[in-house]
Amino acid sequence: MEVPSPTLRQRLEYFGLNTLVRMVGALPYGALRPLANFLGGAVYIFDERGRQVAMANLDAAFGDSFSRERKKEIARGSYQTFARTMLELFWSPGFTREFADRMVVCEGLDRAECHRDPEAAVVYPCLHFSNFEWLGQYCSYAITPGPIITQKFKNPLIGPIFSRLRASSGHQIMAQERAMIRMFKHLQGGGKFGVLADLNLDPDEGSVMVNTFGGLKVSMTQIHAALAVRTGAKIVPCVCRPLPDGRYRMVYHPPLEYPSDATPAQITQLCWDVLEPSIREQPECWLWSYKHWRFRPTGDASGRYPFYANPAKRFDKLLKKHA
């Protein structure tokens, strides 16, 4: 099938992004956080819809635990954190091994031999939390380079820019086609790679039901758990935590322990239970403007779900399956 030529808009988007990446890459690292705070704060002000989603999510997750003003601070901080993550991704060619040694405090890699064993398959699930991009890149230095699934964009010119940045620390780019089979084979050979564990999927997309924040149900990806069940890979939840001085603390939790007959749904829940406390401790680091709870149970009377959550029979079916 013939690939259509890029449109004028797509070419302009590519030129704009490529120029921005070059400009950010020329900045000193110390300038990125103040710039991110400014840009993220500005987007927070003007993105009314995203701000509404963020506040609704905070209401759903925390109820009256935080004041309205505190929730606004968290929402604004979330925008600033994401802006910093994107700017630092653009700056990734400067994230060398030597830079990482100075700016990253690593915790937990000495807890298990699997990280250093070239024959041990390991999956590293993380969240859209703080600089999850650099968490993945740091693994290339601290553990071993691994595959990164290419992200599909509506503009095909943009994808290669992000792939180049994400591979700057040594990772290999893997095509999205037949990705599940590719990852399965990679693990069978003792491979290691990271996945985002907080992706909200449609109930018909092979998701499992996860209980979040003490009662909010979400149909979430199970890819890390399903692959572990099929390959015997270890699951090591990990998280990137920002430090006040501009450095990051990369935390690798102990490998999950569960019975041999545990289901992917049970393992996915266990993984979430390990990672959720990070969100509670530093809520401004999570992506609150994302629609985390797109579905709610039919007839739910809790009143906790955000305004955008809708009932759906397929969600009820998944909920009953994992009851």
Side-chain angles (χ1 to χ4, degrees), residues 4 25 31-32 74 86 105 107 136 146 164 170 176 187 190 215 230 281:
L32 299 184
I74 294 171
M86 289 298 100
V105 178
E107 177 183 320
R164 171 175 57 83
Q176 197 171 41
L187 287 175
R230 295 183 63 185
E281 292 167 13

Side-chain angles (χ1 to χ4, degrees), residues 62 127 129 213 239 241 253 269-283:
F62 296 113
L127 306 173
F129 185 90
F213 294 95
V239 64
R241 305 287 292 267
H253 292 276
Q269 180 68 63
L270 182 61
C271 181
W272 174 263
D273 291 343
V274 171
L275 293 172
E276 184 183 294
S278 297
I279 304 175
R280 292 184 176 275
E281 292 167 13
Q282 291 180 291

Side-chain angles (χ1 to χ4, degrees), residues 114-309:
C114 61
H115 307 296
R116 294 171 293 276
D117 185 350
E119 297 183 0
V122 188
V123 182
Y124 297 91
C126 66
L127 306 173
H128 286 91
F129 185 90
S130 185
N131 196 336
F132 57 92
E133 295 282 2
W134 274 10
L135 174 61
Q137 295 196 31
Y138 179 70
C139 283
S140 179
Y141 299 139
I143 304 172
T144 184
I148 294 179
I149 307 300
T150 54
Q151 182 178 357
K152 281 192 174 182
F153 292 88
K154 292 182 180 180
N155 184 346
L157 299 178
I158 288 178
I161 296 178
F162 283 91
S163 294
R164 171 175 57 83
L165 293 169
R166 288 166 175 156
S168 60
S169 63
H171 290 305
Q172 302 88 39
I173 300 301
M174 179 186 291
Q176 197 171 41
E177 288 75 22
R178 304 177 67 217
M180 187 72 171
I181 296 176
R182 292 170 183 266
M183 288 188 289
F184 175 75
K185 290 182 177 180
H186 180 71
L187 287 175
Q188 279 189 317
K192 300 169 175 61
F193 63 85
V195 296
L196 286 164
D198 56 349
L199 295 176
N200 183 330
L201 301 182
D202 189 279
D204 286 340
E205 293 180 346
S207 58
V208 294
M209 193 64 65
V210 175
N211 185 50
T212 66
F213 294 95
L216 294 171
K217 306 292 185 180
V218 57
S219 52
M220 194 173 288
T221 180
Q222 62 165 323
I223 185 170
H224 49 300
L227 285 170
V229 167
R230 295 183 63 185
T231 64
K234 298 287 186 181
I235 296 182
V236 178
C238 52
V239 64
C240 173
R241 305 287 292 267
L243 295 171
D245 60 3
R247 295 183 300 163
Y248 285 109
R249 183 163 63 100
M250 307 299 188
V251 181
Y252 294 85
H253 292 276
L256 295 184
E257 296 184 1
Y258 46 83
S260 59
D261 60 348
T263 66
Q266 292 170 331
I267 299 171
T268 302
Q269 180 68 63
L270 182 61
C271 181
W272 174 263
D273 291 343
V274 171
L275 293 172
E276 184 183 294
S278 297
I279 304 175
R280 292 184 176 275
E281 292 167 13
Q282 291 180 291
E284 68 280 359
C285 292
W286 203 37
L287 193 59
W288 290 103
S289 58
Y290 176 74
K291 293 182 178 179
H292 294 287
W293 297 283
R294 290 186 291 152
F295 302 95
R296 59 178 173 84
T298 300
D300 174 73
S302 69
R304 289 192 60 189
Y305 287 85
F307 68 88
Y308 60 80

